[in-house]
Amino acid sequence: MNERRKELFTRLITAGVVAPFVVACFANYYSLIGLVATVILFAAYEYIKFTLKNDGHQVLKLAIVAIVTITSISYGLLLDKLYPLKDNFRMPELIFALSLITSSTIIILAVKDITKAKRMMTNSIFSIFYIGLNLSFFYPIYINFGGSVALLNLTSVWVFDAGAYFFGLSFGKTRISPAYSPKKSLEGAVGGYFSVVFFMFIYEFFRQLFTTDAIAIRPSHFFLLAMIVAVFGTIGDIVESAIKRYHDVKDSGNILPGHGGMLDRIDGLLFVTPMFYIFLVLLNT
């Protein structure tokens, strides 16, 4: 078995083991919170580990990861408790501002080297919003539009990644970002886009049959939603590649055999999820 086939086989085995558990977590809002929090925990740990690898203060780094994770959990619980929001003073999103202030305060008190403190504050704040806030958009999608739509957001990114991977291997010639992500091709992205469109038609048919979620997504919207997945999924991947390239790391971690780290697995999802939510809100206003 050559190296490429071996990698593909490992990817498929990992996906086959992890995917059913992940999908099952969308059956309940609180299991979704647990899933998102777990993903954020591992992704934030990987991010803090490789961006601050030479700065010591291991306990402080773990504290930052804990703050990012707890912030997401708190946001999910507050959003559920306060929904529907009655006035402008009930804004659970403010928990992320509190998280920024808390992490910055702890770093200033614990780190005396101004260069390290600046670097730690920058990366802790970035992880709060880049990982914690972006992935937490699953919560308002679930609350406002239903678990099946939140799952559509996730599975669409999976389908795009798979489609882009296979079409890229077969037809990829035009490189989208040679400087940051040389393997990303325009042909792969286009193939991934049409894979998502096809998937959405099938998904929506069965969603209408087997779920009670009130929102209906018109077929004409599939092309726009698939474009959001394709464009922002690609940008999210390139952004993470740029961050890793700057810090001279190949993979963010190795928790998922064949897929690299958790952050590698969710890089596109981090940009797609908030944009998916924004589009859904615009469709229903």
Side-chain angles (χ1 to χ4, degrees), residues 252-265:
S252 66
N254 55 13
I255 191 173
L256 298 170
H259 295 269
M262 185 65 75
L263 189 58
D264 296 322
R265 183 65 275 173

Side-chain angles (χ1 to χ4, degrees), residues 30-262:
Y30 293 102
S31 62
L32 175 66
I33 291 178
L35 172 67
V36 171
T38 301
V39 172
I40 288 174
L41 175 68
F42 285 109
Y45 173 78
E46 291 170 354
Y47 176 81
I48 293 298
K49 182 179 180 180
F50 76 72
T51 57
L52 300 174
K53 57 186 174 184
N54 298 319
D55 288 334
H57 297 280
Q58 299 304 320
V59 174
L60 182 56
K61 291 177 185 177
L62 293 176
I64 293 170
V65 173
I67 289 171
V68 177
T69 307
I70 292 170
T71 300
S72 176
I73 295 172
S74 302
Y75 174 58
L77 296 175
L78 285 170
L79 198 64
D80 182 48
K81 182 178 178 60
L82 298 178
Y83 181 84
L85 303 180
K86 300 296 185 182
D87 56 60
N88 290 331
F89 292 100
R90 305 178 79 175
M91 297 174 62
E93 293 81 8
L94 290 175
I95 192 71
F96 289 96
L98 180 61
S99 178
L100 181 157
I101 294 169
T102 301
S103 62
S104 298
T105 301
I106 293 173
I107 291 168
I108 286 297
L109 292 175
V111 182
K112 304 307 178 186
D113 185 313
I114 191 169
T115 302
K116 287 185 179 181
K118 169 63 165 56
R119 190 157 49 236
M120 294 188 83
M121 280 192 291
T122 300
N123 285 291
S124 66
I125 292 169
F126 190 73
S127 66
I128 289 168
F129 291 96
Y130 172 57
I131 299 172
L133 177 60
N134 281 349
L135 207 63
S136 293
F137 271 91
F138 269 110
Y139 305 147
I141 292 176
Y142 193 108
I143 287 177
N144 289 284
F145 305 106
S148 64
V149 178
L151 183 59
L152 174 62
N153 173 63
L154 173 67
T155 50
S156 294
V157 174
W158 286 354
V159 170
F160 173 74
D161 286 344
Y165 177 78
F166 287 110
F167 277 92
L169 282 179
S170 302
F171 308 106
K173 293 181 180 179
T174 309
R175 301 303 163 188
I176 295 175
S177 179
Y180 297 129
S181 188
K183 293 183 179 180
K184 288 291 175 188
S185 69
L186 180 61
E187 293 81 3
V190 172
Y193 167 76
F194 284 106
S195 299
V196 175
V197 172
F198 178 71
F199 168 74
M200 284 185 172
F201 274 97
I202 298 174
Y203 186 95
E204 184 64 12
F205 174 77
F206 286 102
R207 193 178 75 85
Q208 292 298 321
L209 284 179
F210 297 110
T211 73
T212 57
D213 295 335
I215 180 177
I217 304 174
R218 295 202 301 268
S220 59
H221 293 150
F222 297 159
F223 297 94
L224 292 174
L225 281 172
M227 184 62 69
I228 287 173
V229 173
V231 171
F232 291 98
T234 301
I235 293 173
D237 184 285
I238 293 172
V239 166
E240 197 236 0
S241 294
I243 294 171
K244 289 190 299 183
R245 191 171 290 271
Y246 177 81
H247 291 281
D248 195 28
V249 296
K250 182 179 183 296
D251 296 318
S252 66
N254 55 13
I255 191 173
L256 298 170
H259 295 269
M262 185 65 75

Side-chain angles (χ1 to χ4, degrees), residues 11-28:
R11 279 176 173 244
L12 292 175
I13 292 297
T14 301
V17 172
V18 174
F21 169 77
V22 171
V23 171
C25 289
F26 282 78
N28 178 274

